[in-house]
Amino acid sequence: MDLFRIFPEASNREEVEENTPEPEARNTTFVVRNLDFLRNLFSKTLGISGEKVLDELTLEGVASYIQSGKCKNIICMVGAGISTSAGIPDFRSPDTGLYANLQKYNLPYPEAIFQIDYFKKHPEPFFALARELYPGQFKPTVCHYFIKLLKDKGLLKRCYSQNIDTLERVAGLEGEDLIEAHGTFYTSHCVSFMCRKEYDLDWMKEKIFSDDIPKCDKCSNLVKPDIVFFGENLPKRFFTSMAMDFPRCDLLIIMGTSLQVQPFAALVGR
């Protein structure tokens, strides 16, 4: 590697050779200089401030920034990983994830359990799974209460969640604090577009734990919890809120999600 690329300010090759640090220090210098280069590049191409925000790239650095009073509109983006320590499996972890343990439902493929067309024809596997994961059987984790603490301190702009377990609500977040991007068990609706009668959490819980397939009292069609299945649109509030929230965000905290599912993953670009 040509050291003039690392130390372009050197006037000649002899000066470089005389002042070249040991390999470990040289690597550190190279990394620091390249981080500065990338920071400047991103600030110019993306039109964002090149100002250094964190004192250090650690949790302590983030905590120090929060305590400094410089950020007052914190957004949290969270996924199933914040609920795993409560005993709720995530979706994609090998061996332990939800998709890896659905063989007993005899599905054509794991994701079928959350496909709206498959659900309408074969609702039994979903409601069997719902009995295992139903809200009220698990308690919030330290991550959920951290988000609630941000709310209590007046720092939380919004929590965008991929989770359907309602643990954010159990921890103390309310409707205005929360965008449940993939829906929730909190309410349910008849699947018929001509009916759409709403049912509450207690009604759905009684049906699920009595081994009944929930049917609408009004039209006898299936009733589904308001979680977003593959083939359904995300809630309108997801789109209207992100347009207002993200331009004001001064700290984005991402926890428990691998950001593989769109359009949720695209939020970071905002």
Side-chain angles (χ1 to χ4, degrees):
M1 180 181 291
D2 190 342
L3 293 177
F4 277 109
R5 294 183 180 180
I6 303 177
F7 304 105
E9 69 275 15
S11 59
N12 55 61
R13 189 171 296 275
E14 288 75 17
E15 182 181 344
V16 169
E17 292 174 351
E18 289 175 5
N19 294 284
T20 297
E22 293 300 315
E24 183 176 347
R26 185 189 307 160
N27 289 337
T28 301
T29 303
F30 179 76
V31 170
V32 170
R33 287 174 181 269
N34 275 275
L35 283 175
D36 289 339
F37 168 77
L38 289 173
R39 183 181 293 114
N40 291 331
L41 175 65
F42 289 146
S43 67
K44 291 177 182 177
T45 57
L46 299 179
I48 58 177
S49 171
E51 178 186 355
K52 186 178 180 181
V53 174
L54 301 181
D55 295 331
E56 54 183 40
L57 294 174
T58 63
L59 287 176
E60 288 76 11
V62 175
S64 176
Y65 179 51
I66 293 174
Q67 292 176 320
S68 72
K70 294 180 181 178
C71 56
K72 300 182 183 298
N73 291 289
I74 298 176
I75 292 178
C76 293
M77 289 173 58
V78 301
I82 73 167
S83 296
T84 51
S85 59
I88 301 174
D90 64 9
F91 288 87
R92 292 175 174 79
S93 289
D95 301 327
T96 61
L98 190 62
Y99 287 150
N101 291 279
L102 294 176
Q103 299 91 340
K104 59 187 174 183
Y105 299 121
N106 197 28
L107 300 165
Y109 49 92
E111 292 84 356
I113 202 165
F114 293 117
Q115 289 276 5
I116 187 62
D117 291 337
Y118 185 86
F119 169 80
K120 288 179 178 179
K121 296 176 182 177
H122 308 284
E124 296 83 5
F126 170 77
F127 286 114
L129 177 66
R131 273 194 297 277
E132 296 183 33
L133 302 179
Y134 202 77
Q137 303 180 84
F138 304 95
K139 295 182 179 180
T141 69
V142 66
C143 287
H144 297 95
Y145 286 116
F146 167 69
I147 302 169
K148 174 60 162 56
L149 179 63
L150 292 178
K151 174 190 174 179
D152 293 342
K153 297 291 185 181
L155 300 175
L156 182 68
K157 179 65 180 176
R158 207 90 63 193
C159 175
Y160 285 72
S161 177
Q162 292 176 285
N163 297 334
I164 59 175
D165 53 38
T166 74
L167 289 183
E168 294 92 355
R169 291 178 181 267
V170 177
L173 296 187
E174 299 174 353
E176 187 61 27
D177 310 315
L178 194 57
I179 303 295
E180 292 160 316
H182 293 170
T184 178
F185 270 100
Y186 198 68
T187 55
S188 301
H189 281 85
C190 174
V191 299
S192 170
F193 290 109
M194 300 297 292
C195 178
R196 299 297 294 162
K197 182 176 179 180
E198 181 174 319
Y199 296 87
D200 62 20
L201 189 66
D202 291 335
W203 183 92
M204 179 58 72
K205 181 178 181 180
E206 180 183 348
K207 296 293 183 183
I208 288 177
F209 284 94
S210 63
D211 292 335
D212 287 340
I213 298 300
K215 296 289 184 68
C216 179
D217 300 335
K218 183 177 179 182
C219 70
S220 299
N221 274 291
L222 282 170
V223 176
K224 182 182 78 67
D226 290 340
I227 64 173
V228 178
F229 277 29
F230 296 114
E232 293 186 304
N233 294 323
L234 270 62
K236 290 182 180 179
R237 189 163 169 262
F238 171 83
F239 299 100
T240 56
S241 295
M242 74 178 185
M244 295 185 297
D245 291 346
F246 278 80
R248 302 173 185 171
C249 175
D250 43 31
L251 177 62
L252 176 62
I253 299 176
I254 302 171
M255 298 185 289
T257 173
S258 57
L259 294 177
Q260 293 186 24
V261 178
Q262 298 289 0
F264 188 89
L267 288 175
V268 296
R270 292 179 167 266

